[in-house]
Amino acid sequence: MADVRAICAIGQRGQIGLNGELPWEGNPGREFVADVERFYEVTRGHVMLAGPHTISTLPGFMQFDRTLCPVRSSDRPEEVLARFADRVVYVAGGPAVWEAYAGFIRHWDINRLPYDGPADRWFKPEWLVAAR
């Protein structure tokens, strides 16, 4: 079975999305830039699962140093993860993907950013204790 992990950044109140993007997208602040750089570094060399929209927003260079796997609601998580046995698999979101894969995630890497603005997508703490 794959070593399944999640990586995400959340705002001060659990914000994770706004209008299909990260609420802090493009913020040049040191903490925000460091978070993006760390995301690239941590996922390098591993498998990354995310919804098609999230995958489409990633920079092109990411396809060369990690395995990008877009997943859909019709995919069975057990079958997707079975394709990557003995690999580290990062579940990178969005919310529907975390909802489907939460019970398989053994490690959550969550970075809380100094963002406290609007959002239309929120991190759900119950994902942390979901069981399969």
Side-chain angles (χ1 to χ4, degrees), residues 17 23 29 33 35 42 47 63 68-69 76 84 106-107 111 132:
V33 172
D35 177 68
V42 168
V47 176
Q63 66 184 314
L68 300 178
C69 180
R76 295 196 52 210
F84 303 108
R106 70 167 196 85
H107 176 82
N111 187 20
R132 291 273 183 224

Side-chain angles (χ1 to χ4, degrees), residues 1-5 77-78 81 100-106 130 132:
M1 181 65 142
D3 177 0
V4 185
R5 305 172 186 193
E78 299 88 352
L81 295 171
Y101 287 83
F104 299 95
I105 296 169
R106 70 167 196 85
R132 291 273 183 224

